[in-house]
Amino acid sequence: MFFFAKIFWLVSQPVTVLFLLMALSVLLMLLSFRRLAVAVGLVSLVLVFLTFYTTAGALVVQELEDRFPRPAPPADVACVIVLGGGIPTQVDGARDGYDLDDGGDRYIETVRLAGLYPGAKIIMSGGDGSLEGVSMKEADIIRRMFDDFHIDPARVEYDALSRDTYENAVNVRAILQRLNLGHCLLVTSGFHMPRAVAIFRNLGMEVTPWVADYRTTGKEGLKVTVAYPLINAGLLSTGLREWIGIVAYYFAGRVSTLYPQ
């Protein structure tokens, strides 16, 4: 499932689809199917406009982010679960630094929660999610980071084997059962929270969603915007990837609902 998902996304992400449509248009033109070539070319132009020059991606991500608003801080928390996906492991593994990307808020928030709930266990789940399997384990980098922030190593459990969200949940469940823990906060990005919650619930774990990374203002509307085309495209890729993941997990039986409450 892991390798199929990675390969499927390589060919289904918006930029790849646009490239394939443009290539098809050129091929059809060379084969003298001019009308069909023009039609395919026009479709690709429309998709380029929607992808790079509108807020379509922001709307898709915003819908995912708004599904689980962050609740009031609980009075008591047994553990904080943080899912990997906030650092470029190849760079950090080579440079020995913490080059946090947009998802790095997950770790900043976990450090804050560790101080807010000094008695809570922390479970960090994240291995090597690359298709080649040659990157450094994310948990190994975060272990060093948490040590540098003086979080007591005895409080932290690390899962360095997970390659995707489903494996995150399976391995975290084993840790929770071993330590007999309940009432845990689940820390991940807002766009990722619906799929993560659906998986955890399907495996019998009730967690409190705790969003740590927002990509939208929460007040987005559909409009033309030419200032940040790469950001627009990135948001659309992020949103579509999550929806594809939710649908794929549903048909694979890994979640019991397409859109958890």
Side-chain angles (χ1 to χ4, degrees), residues 9 64 165 191-196 236-248:
W9 177 245
L64 292 165
T165 309
F191 68 84
H192 184 238
M193 190 64 77
R195 180 157 60 109
L236 185 59
S237 292
T238 296
L240 291 180
R241 182 172 186 172
E242 280 306 303
W243 275 112
I244 290 172
I246 291 172
V247 172

Side-chain angles (χ1 to χ4, degrees), residues 1 3 23 68 73 107 121-122 131 139-140 145 156 159 163 168 189-190 207 211 235 257:
M1 181 73 176
F3 292 104
F68 289 100
Y107 299 121
K121 279 279 191 180
I122 299 169
L131 184 61
D140 293 336
M145 177 182 177
V156 190
D159 158 37
R163 299 172 298 175
N168 286 145
S189 301
V207 292
V211 175
L235 285 171
T257 178

Side-chain angles (χ1 to χ4, degrees), residues 200-223:
F200 272 73
R201 286 179 179 174
N202 196 51
L203 290 174
M205 292 174 283
E206 281 297 329
V207 292
T208 298
W210 196 265
V211 175
D213 162 37
Y214 288 103
R215 308 290 173 91
T216 70
T217 63
K219 301 176 182 179
E220 304 288 349
L222 183 60
K223 62 182 179 181

Side-chain angles (χ1 to χ4, degrees), residues 45-59:
L45 283 175
V46 171
L47 292 179
V48 165
F49 176 75
L50 290 174
T51 300
F52 289 94
Y53 301 110
T54 75
T55 56
L59 286 177

Side-chain angles (χ1 to χ4, degrees), residues 3 30 72 87 89 101 109 119 128 146 164-165 169 209 223 244 246:
F3 292 104
L30 293 174
I87 56 175
T89 52
D101 58 24
E109 183 64 13
D128 177 10
F146 284 173
D164 57 26
T165 309
K223 62 182 179 181
I244 290 172
I246 291 172

Side-chain angles (χ1 to χ4, degrees), residues 14-259:
V15 173
T16 304
V17 171
L18 291 173
F19 170 77
L20 293 175
L21 283 174
M22 292 177 183
L24 177 60
S25 179
V26 172
L27 178 62
L28 290 170
M29 186 66 73
L30 293 174
L31 295 175
S32 298
F33 296 102
R34 298 188 182 277
R35 289 186 179 179
L36 188 55
V38 170
V40 173
L42 288 174
V43 170
S44 64
L45 283 175
V46 171
L47 292 179
V48 165
F49 176 75
L50 290 174
T51 300
F52 289 94
Y53 301 110
T54 75
T55 56
L59 286 177
V60 175
V61 171
Q62 181 174 263
E63 172 62 26
L64 292 165
E65 290 180 337
D66 289 345
R67 194 63 174 176
F68 289 100
R70 184 190 290 184
D76 183 48
V77 171
C79 72
V80 177
I81 303 165
V82 56
L83 303 185
I87 56 175
T89 52
Q90 285 184 321
V91 174
D92 286 357
R95 299 285 189 176
D96 291 329
Y98 310 118
D99 183 24
L100 303 180
D101 58 24
D102 289 341
D105 288 356
R106 305 180 189 188
Y107 299 121
I108 295 172
E109 183 64 13
T110 299
V111 171
R112 190 184 75 84
L113 291 170
L116 188 63
Y117 300 104
K121 279 279 191 180
I122 299 169
I123 302 173
M124 192 278 132
S125 178
D128 177 10
S130 66
L131 184 61
E132 302 87 354
V134 296
S135 296
M136 188 172 183
K137 309 288 188 182
E138 190 163 356
D140 293 336
I141 298 173
I142 299 306
R143 184 193 303 270
R144 175 163 44 87
M145 177 182 177
F146 284 173
D147 287 346
D148 285 346
F149 277 92
H150 306 292
I151 297 177
D152 183 358
R155 293 181 61 189
V156 190
E157 294 283 333
Y158 293 97
D159 158 37
L161 300 178
S162 299
R163 299 172 298 175
D164 57 26
T165 309
Y166 183 76
E167 293 182 4
N168 286 145
V170 170
N171 293 340
V172 166
R173 181 176 63 174
I175 295 173
L176 294 178
Q177 290 174 342
R178 172 167 56 84
L179 299 178
N180 193 28
L181 292 173
H183 191 195
C184 297
L185 300 182
L186 177 62
V187 179
T188 189
S189 301
F191 68 84
H192 184 238
M193 190 64 77
R195 180 157 60 109
V197 168
I199 296 169
F200 272 73
R201 286 179 179 174
N202 196 51
L203 290 174
M205 292 174 283
E206 281 297 329
V207 292
T208 298
W210 196 265
V211 175
D213 162 37
Y214 288 103
R215 308 290 173 91
T216 70
T217 63
K219 301 176 182 179
E220 304 288 349
L222 183 60
K223 62 182 179 181
V224 175
T225 172
V226 298
Y228 306 104
L230 295 182
I231 292 177
N232 295 336
L235 285 171
L236 185 59
S237 292
T238 296
L240 291 180
R241 182 172 186 172
E242 280 306 303
W243 275 112
I244 290 172
I246 291 172
V247 172
Y249 276 22
Y250 179 77
F251 285 106
R254 291 185 168 184
V255 299
S256 57
T257 178
L258 283 172
Y259 207 28

